[in-house]
Amino acid sequence: MYYVYMLRCEDNSIYTGITTDITRRMEEHFSQSKKCAKYTINHTAKRLESAWETDNRVLASKLEYHIKKLSKKDKEELIVKNNLQELLSEKIDTEKYKKEKLKGD
């Protein structure tokens, strides 16, 4: 399984990434270990906002790419409304992604 996730940073920016182990990857981002993304070194990760599960890296990479291309407004809307199909159905098969339940959902 692969996961595509969106993190909120302290400066209110949104970082999007992929991983095979969401728990490990969050620990790397939040602890700012050597394995965290360059972006989250300078933009401290504050919380996990959204995550989707998919079967393989190709699908995860496609979703990550298209989320990164969204405007900040659309990313915020995706976090709040989980409207993946509305925003991206013309670009990818949104049925291949399952929204992950997060703590507090």
Side-chain angles (χ1 to χ4, degrees):
M1 286 294 142
Y2 280 81
Y3 300 89
V4 178
Y5 60 90
M6 297 172 75
L7 292 176
R8 172 86 51 197
C9 296
E10 286 186 353
D11 63 356
N12 205 36
S13 63
I14 298 169
Y15 173 81
T16 304
I18 64 172
T19 187
T20 55
D21 184 338
I22 197 99
T23 304
R24 173 191 48 80
R25 192 66 178 135
M26 292 308 104
E27 174 59 31
E28 290 169 356
H29 283 302
F30 296 134
S31 70
Q32 292 188 307
S33 77
K34 291 179 183 178
K35 293 186 177 185
C36 84
K38 288 180 186 177
Y39 189 86
T40 58
I41 288 282
N42 298 315
H43 305 264
T44 306
K46 191 163 84 173
R47 71 177 170 269
L48 176 62
E49 291 283 15
S50 288
W52 296 267
E53 180 184 295
T54 193
D55 292 333
N56 61 61
R57 185 176 181 89
V58 171
L59 289 171
S61 294
K62 284 181 183 179
L63 180 57
E64 177 192 33
Y65 172 81
H66 288 293
I67 289 175
K68 286 182 173 186
K69 293 289 184 186
L70 293 174
S71 68
K72 176 78 160 49
K73 178 181 176 271
D74 285 343
K75 289 177 188 179
E76 295 288 358
E77 190 175 301
L78 180 57
I79 290 167
V80 172
K81 294 182 180 178
N82 187 34
N83 57 347
L84 191 65
Q85 184 173 6
E86 180 185 325
L87 290 171
L88 297 175
S89 65
E90 293 181 12
K91 300 180 188 297
I92 59 173
D93 182 357
T94 57
E95 298 296 317
K96 296 190 179 202
Y97 305 94
K98 178 185 163 203
K99 177 80 163 110
E100 283 295 296
K101 287 281 187 190
L102 305 177
K103 293 175 186 174
D105 276 356

